[in-house]
Amino acid sequence: MTVDELRRAFLAYFEERGHRRIPSSSLIPHGDPTLLFTTAGMVQFKPYFMGLAEPPARRLTSIQRCFRTTDVESVGDATHLTAFEMLGNFSVGDYFKPEAIGWAWEFLTDVLKIDASRLWATVFTTDDEAAALWAKQGLPADRILRYTAEQGNWWGPPGDTGPMGPCSEMHYDWGKTPGCRHCEADTCHPDIGCGRFLEIWNLVFMTYYREEDGSQTDLPAANIDTGAGLERLASVTQGARTLYETDELHRLVAVAERVSGRKYDAEESPEIAFALRAMTEHSRALAFLATDGVLPSNEGRGYVLRRLLRRAIYFGYKIGIREPFLEQMVDAAIDLSHQINPQMLEQREFIKRLARVEEARFLQTLDRGLTLLDEVIVREAGTKRIPGRDAFTLYDTHGLPLELTVEVAQSHGYEVDRAGFDAEMDLQRERSRGDETFTSNNDDRALRYAALGIETAFVGYDGLDARSEVLHLERDGEPVARLDTGETGEVVVRESPMYPEGGGQVGDHGLVVTPTGQFRVRDTQRYGETIVLTGEVERGHIEVSAAAEARVDAVRRSDTARNHTGTHLLHAALRAVLGTHVRQAGSYVGPDRLRFDYTHPEAPTEAEMATVQRMVNVKIRADIRSETFVLGYEEAIERGAIAFFEDRYTDTVRMVEYCDTRGFDPEHMHTSECYSRELCGGTHLHATGEVGMLIVVSDVSIGAGLRRIEAVTGASAERFVEDRAGLVNTLARRFKVPAAEVLGRIDALEESLAAERKRVEEADRRASAGLADDLAARAEQIGGVSVVIARIEAESPDALRGISERLRKLGIAFVFLAANANGRPAFVAAASEDVIARGLRADEVVRAAATLAGGGGGGRPNFAQAGGKDASQIDAAVEVARKAVLERLGG
């Protein structure tokens, strides 16, 4: 059975049993900045298990793209992957252990035809029910093992808090492993880890929640969360002892063979096979991550991607590849995977360019790293040992893998301090902890409201006020029956027209008015199914069960909607001008401005940003009417809707579109296509003309591959233009030129200043040269060499350095200069090789002088500089230098 046939068989099996198929979510998890990557199929379903949101169905199934960083160093062996697909079936308070175990057994043995005699099951130590259910399937007692949490049979929580429960794992027995004493004694089992057993499915009985204090509480319902690694399951069905011999990965291995000129043979050439597997896996992982908007950088997700890129290139380098190859590998990976991830095709050229640029950059870095390693080897000639700290710096800063450091060191007869390297690596992992955990600051609050069972209907799309009823009041986190004048608290009404913060859009402000009082709403948030209004009582009092009218601040809502519509138009323009690889990475939509974070590997040119802004404003002037549709998720995606960065799969979605044919177009730019079509739950304008205009205020980098646009619309845009026009007019009056000539006048002033600066620098240079000549003429002869030791007048350490360089060119063997540079002592020293050989080092003399002046510094034996704090000690520091010269040169 091929990998693709296995995908189809799994989904069909569980759809026949009432499961709704859910598409894979992004590798960048929804709504949780503390989780770097989607690591399991259940990540997008976490709110359902916790009772914080209503699932689209109680039975769900998916094939989720996953990425895990825990075993990066092991990738290249037979079984480890960073990027993989996870088959999963899920129950949210529906079926439980009997169905989960029965279906898993039936799918493996009846559908996939896996030999039942090769299957083993493990259960949690106290899980008698699961053990009995496996026995009921016909599994012998000696192949049903009781494992502890440490042995892997308790899942979660994935962070300090979260859902968890006992689990049961399915293992496939490949047969006895040669050389394993446990296999020879018939005492082997999966936890031995000799390679005989392969875990193929994990059934999690998710029933508990771990609180912050470590206590365990019951989840709202007993749930099922299963995960079966697609590639591992395929290796069993295809009889492939390594994941890389399955049909899809093996085709990519063949590309690695072609670009390297090496043959994949795990028995004859295990090192070459390891390298080819690492190149294969990391190339596919690159395609997965880049498609979902991850770009190389030195931190977070981008750091992980860059690490994989460099590791793939290193292994290619190790087996003799000296020409770029990564682009070819990534191109082949896209060919293999685009059917399950169609966006790969759309972004193919961008991903290939990214691979090409990063590889070229790293090959230069690799040469630099090898040069630095040579310097460490020279430095450590006495110990014949590369310190762990140096090995880690070469790896972490310069991208030189430890394996290459070890290989080069061994060729020189050196060893590497692996323990020191591992200690530094552990510290780095500690600093980046969180890549596979997820937490939410709002989880506890959401759980509290979920426990109340209060559901609020949002009715704010169709109107700005609603007659309703007060369902719940809180003050300082505690339920109360009423809130009085001046008290702050939280109000929940049955129907709310106020939009709760989400998708980057801020929550509405407004009023809740009852017969006895008025509550001013300062913020609106959603916790699970409850919309919570936060603010204070302005007059009278508010009581639970009172009739209420909720009114949205209409002006603020309108300004916010103006910016939200502007965000959609801006997103579409960026993708049109810069490329469809542009992804939203965050946003702020408020009444005052909009902020849009997006992925792009380089700064757009001024011309590109001007085109983006011009395109948006053309669409605004076209006054395109919006249309909103509520339809199935799959249908929306098929129609070309773009999912925003915080969108989660739901049964039905809200699609907002601005199609050119629904507008007035005096500039004849209409097409038959929709300009913007996105999934979005926010509030928008009825037509783009209401935006007025959009002005991009700034576009800046906020990290490698991430940029941030700040923009304003409507009246704020008008004020921005007025302010900038006013500034230009002020400059025109100041320079006494027409506004159109201001820039030319500024250019002329800059040229004049540059010429004046150059004239001053030349004068300083001549003065310094003259001073150096005077000092050289008065040089002392100490121990047979020319020496200059002096306090001089200089405005900066740079001036001192320039004078010392000229003195050395004039044949002075040792120089020590001191100056009061803007109130702070500055020192510089220079020594010839002959003087150094006699024990007089520039760095030692400077350090001694600076210490006396309350400072510090250093450098090399032939040149050093330092600073101090106490200018009154400059003369004493000069005498310290003179004494050192006399002692070393024997004058």
Side-chain angles (χ1 to χ4, degrees), residues 778-829:
R778 300 199 306 268
E780 304 175 58
Q781 296 295 314
I782 301 177
V785 298
S786 296
V787 175
V788 170
I789 304 170
R791 174 174 179 169
I792 64 173
E793 296 296 325
E795 294 184 355
S796 69
D798 286 343
L800 282 181
R801 186 163 55 248
I803 294 170
S804 70
E805 289 174 356
R806 180 165 180 81
L807 285 170
R808 292 174 69 183
K809 290 178 181 178
L810 293 174
I812 305 302
F814 183 82
V815 177
F816 178 85
L817 300 176
N820 184 339
N822 295 319
R824 297 181 68 88
F827 308 103
V828 68

Side-chain angles (χ1 to χ4, degrees), residues 459-507:
V459 295
Y461 291 133
D462 300 320
L464 298 179
D465 55 69
R467 296 190 178 278
S468 188
E469 174 189 1
V470 176
L471 298 180
H472 181 75
L473 298 174
E474 283 198 9
R475 182 179 59 240
D476 298 328
E478 296 294 332
V480 294
R482 64 183 266 170
L483 291 171
D484 293 310
T485 301
E487 289 187 326
T488 61
E490 297 176 357
V491 175
V492 178
V493 295
R494 187 179 304 281
E495 292 185 331
S496 171
M498 297 187 199
Y499 180 82
E501 179 178 320
Q505 180 175 327
V506 299

Side-chain angles (χ1 to χ4, degrees), residues 816 825 827 844-857 866-883:
F816 178 85
F827 308 103
E844 292 178 350
V845 175
V846 151
R847 192 174 299 113
T851 299
L852 184 65
K869 299 177 182 177
D870 187 355
S872 69
Q873 295 298 315
I874 294 177
D875 291 334
V878 172
E879 291 308 312
V880 166
R882 181 178 297 281
K883 182 178 179 181

